[in-house]
């Protein structure tokens, strides 16, 4: 069993929450993605934050390209490890 993780970067909390809900439906995840606020360097304003969805993929069954396309639906992307 490996420790593969995928990180989707989304522009705001609403997009991240909607994407987290849709992820389970589209990819039949075994566990909920972790939602993390990532403040941009030097910014204190909550408006200047990206939101991350961290997905564990121990069986390596999630296709990185499909995840990147999925994140793009919310103006986001998949971060390369």
């Amino acid at each position: 069993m490996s420790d593969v993780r995928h990180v989707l970067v989304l522009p705001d909390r609403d997009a991240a929450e909607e994407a987290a809900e849709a992820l389970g439906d589209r990819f039949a995840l075994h566990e909920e993605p972790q939602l993390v606020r990532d403040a941009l360097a030097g910014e204190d304003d909550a408006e200047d934050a990206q939101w991350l969805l961290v997905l564990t993929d121990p069986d390596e069954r999630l296709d990185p390209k499909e995840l990147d396309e999925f994140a793009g639906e919310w103006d986001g992307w998949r971060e390369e490890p």
Side-chain angles (χ1 to χ4, degrees):
M1 186 143 104
S2 68
D3 187 28
V4 174
R5 295 182 198 276
H6 301 280
V7 177
L8 305 184
V9 182
L10 298 151
D12 58 50
R13 184 180 188 133
D14 290 339
E17 288 175 344
E18 288 176 28
E21 236 178 83
L23 270 168
D25 295 336
R26 188 171 306 177
F27 295 101
L29 300 176
H30 296 295
E31 58 185 73
E32 292 286 319
Q34 180 183 6
L35 186 63
V36 179
R37 180 180 178 272
D38 183 33
L40 299 176
E43 298 293 337
D44 294 327
D45 188 354
E47 295 300 316
D48 293 324
Q50 296 173 328
W51 287 81
L52 310 177
L53 287 177
V54 180
L55 312 165
T56 57
D57 186 17
D59 300 327
E60 298 185 46
R61 62 181 191 78
L62 298 173
D63 180 355
K65 184 178 177 187
E66 285 182 38
L67 289 172
D68 194 39
E69 290 171 3
F70 175 85
E73 294 174 22
W74 282 272
D75 297 324
W77 65 90
R78 185 185 63 83
E79 191 71 24
E80 289 290 333

